[in-house]
Amino acid sequence: MLDIRYLRQNIARVEERLATRGQQIDLGPFVKLEGQRRNVLQEVETLRNQRNVVNRAIGEMKKKGEDFTSLTAEMGKVSDRIKGLEGEINRIEDELSVIMLTLPNLPHEAVTPGGGPEDNQVLKYWGEKPRLDFTPRPHWELGEDLDILDFARGSKITGARFTLLKGGAALLERALISFMLDLHTEEHGYHEVLPPFMVNRESMTATGQLPKFAEDLFRLENTEYFLIPTAEVPVTNIHRGEILAEADLPLSYAAYTPCFRAEAGSYGKDTRGLIRQHQFNKVELVKFTAPEQSDGELERLTDHAEEVLERLQLHYRRVSLCSGDLGFSAARTYDLEVWLPGQGTYREISSCSNFGDFQARRAGIRFRREKTGRVEHVHTLNGSGLAVGRTLVAILENYQRADGTIKVPEALKPYWRGKVPLISRPS
């Protein structure tokens, strides 16, 4: 969440920066409640001062043996009034907290203003589109012909947007998870964790999924547990409510998890194939940094995600999101978009974000400065390293051959269990 002290002192500036997101965000209710809070606090302070003065007077009267009954009765009324006003302050602050939880993060100063995806900036391209001497096919056709993607049976087992991976696809998915985790832990310095795949309401609130995006989540009936939409949620909450040592920063974690998303707002989008599923696998990278480290760590985290694509020899581009396309909690985001020849388009395969202290304020994650002892909020960052299912899609479409078989990338051969590095239809 935003720093409420900064918001109180910079209402106009915050309104200006939030407006660049292209959303109608009305801070009027906050301003009104803030006015009420100040008025009540002022009255409480006046009454407390009055009570202190009278209590001193009562003390003097006691010494002199004078009757102070009327003053005691008066002060009882004042104390009751103060108690009632303190309850009013608590009510106002609860309402302010609800508002604060619904306000998105402020865009980073380096983010370009814009209304949506059309205003995003392509920062670089890597590699070249594959030169195929035949008409490339989309992954859903390839997968069904090879009998490795079974959309019908996935739907039968569960419902729409669930898929059964078989044979070569199942092996490829597993190989990709191991390859990504090995790369990030052995060469990039991330500490591997395997978190719970269900989290509580506090964890979802800390990372910004609640209360705003409740309809996109799967909640377990009669519980306060939710299936995770991404490993960002449980991994960020590892340090919820903790004070970290400055010397330990940055902390870097890598985690494989399945992810579950209701996709409530995506009806009719990407209904074919694996692009938009209710369940998918992902390897996530999460960092906790000091504020002055976070910009540089975002570059490093994004480089680490890009290296997965480069080792797999997949053509991609890095895109800097404009203010109007940022996620709710993000201050700055780079999207990596991989080329899919079977669909003739680029598709997001990783989103790498710096959240500043936005999530840390919600989660109460702080660190102590070594020299001064001062306690500050950390900055949190995360990114997909990568979305496994979409990486599988990219391999099927980029490594397809004219006969319908799929070549396995060189980087994955150590994970192919000694088999011929080729996916073909079972005989």
Side-chain angles (χ1 to χ4, degrees), residues 261-401:
R261 297 185 186 177
E263 298 284 4
S266 64
Y267 180 79
K269 296 180 181 178
D270 302 317
T271 55
R272 302 196 67 181
L274 298 176
I275 292 297
R276 201 176 296 275
Q277 298 273 283
H278 289 309
Q279 175 186 319
F280 57 95
N281 293 315
K282 191 144 68 86
V283 170
E284 191 79 359
L285 308 176
V286 176
K287 286 179 176 282
F288 301 84
T289 79
E292 65 273 13
Q293 298 172 323
S294 65
D295 285 339
E297 288 300 322
L298 175 62
E299 299 299 325
R300 275 184 280 278
L301 185 151
T302 308
D303 288 344
H304 295 155
E306 288 178 341
E307 188 170 345
V308 177
L309 291 166
E310 292 170 11
R311 294 210 182 184
L312 294 172
Q313 293 291 301
L314 294 170
H315 168 59
Y316 71 89
R317 64 187 185 184
R318 182 194 290 200
V319 177
S320 178
L321 300 194
C322 69
S323 58
D325 203 27
L326 288 174
F328 175 81
S329 299
R332 190 177 189 182
T333 298
Y334 296 133
D335 274 1
L336 305 183
E337 298 179 346
V338 68
W339 174 251
L340 300 181
Q343 298 169 57
T345 190
Y346 290 95
R347 288 284 195 173
E348 177 198 330
I349 198 167
S350 175
S351 189
C352 303
S353 297
N354 184 353
F355 301 96
D357 61 8
F358 186 83
Q359 291 180 329
R361 288 186 181 280
R362 298 169 78 103
I365 308 172
R366 298 176 293 168
F367 74 102
R368 192 181 304 279
R369 293 283 185 185
E370 287 185 322
K371 290 184 178 180
T372 65
R374 181 180 175 183
V375 175
E376 303 175 31
H377 287 95
V378 300
H379 281 194
T380 61
L381 303 90
N382 71 55
S384 304
L386 302 166
V388 181
R390 293 193 177 195
T391 309
L392 183 146
V393 166
I395 290 172
L396 294 184
E397 296 199 9
N398 281 274
Y399 281 85
Q400 61 181 296
R401 308 198 309 179

Side-chain angles (χ1 to χ4, degrees), residues 17 56 91 121 180-181 195-196 256 308 316 320 348-349:
R17 292 178 67 186
R56 286 194 293 269
R91 180 194 65 78
Q121 294 183 315
M180 292 176 190
L181 286 174
Y256 152 73
V308 177
Y316 71 89
S320 178
E348 177 198 330
I349 198 167

Side-chain angles (χ1 to χ4, degrees), residues 232-282:
E232 166 197 348
V233 179
V235 178
T236 301
N237 277 276
I238 289 173
H239 295 297
R240 173 157 52 94
E242 297 181 14
I243 298 178
L244 308 174
E246 182 179 15
D248 292 337
L249 301 179
L251 288 171
S252 302
Y253 293 100
Y256 152 73
T257 67
C259 306
F260 306 90
R261 297 185 186 177
E263 298 284 4
S266 64
Y267 180 79
K269 296 180 181 178
D270 302 317
T271 55
R272 302 196 67 181
L274 298 176
I275 292 297
R276 201 176 296 275
Q277 298 273 283
H278 289 309
Q279 175 186 319
F280 57 95
N281 293 315
K282 191 144 68 86

Side-chain angles (χ1 to χ4, degrees), residues 5 22 29 34 64 78 90 151 176 271 302 319 334 342 354 360 391 416:
R5 291 173 297 178
E34 265 298 294
K64 297 176 181 179
V78 170
N90 290 336
F151 301 104
L176 284 168
T271 55
T302 308
V319 177
Y334 296 133
N354 184 353
T391 309
W416 212 247

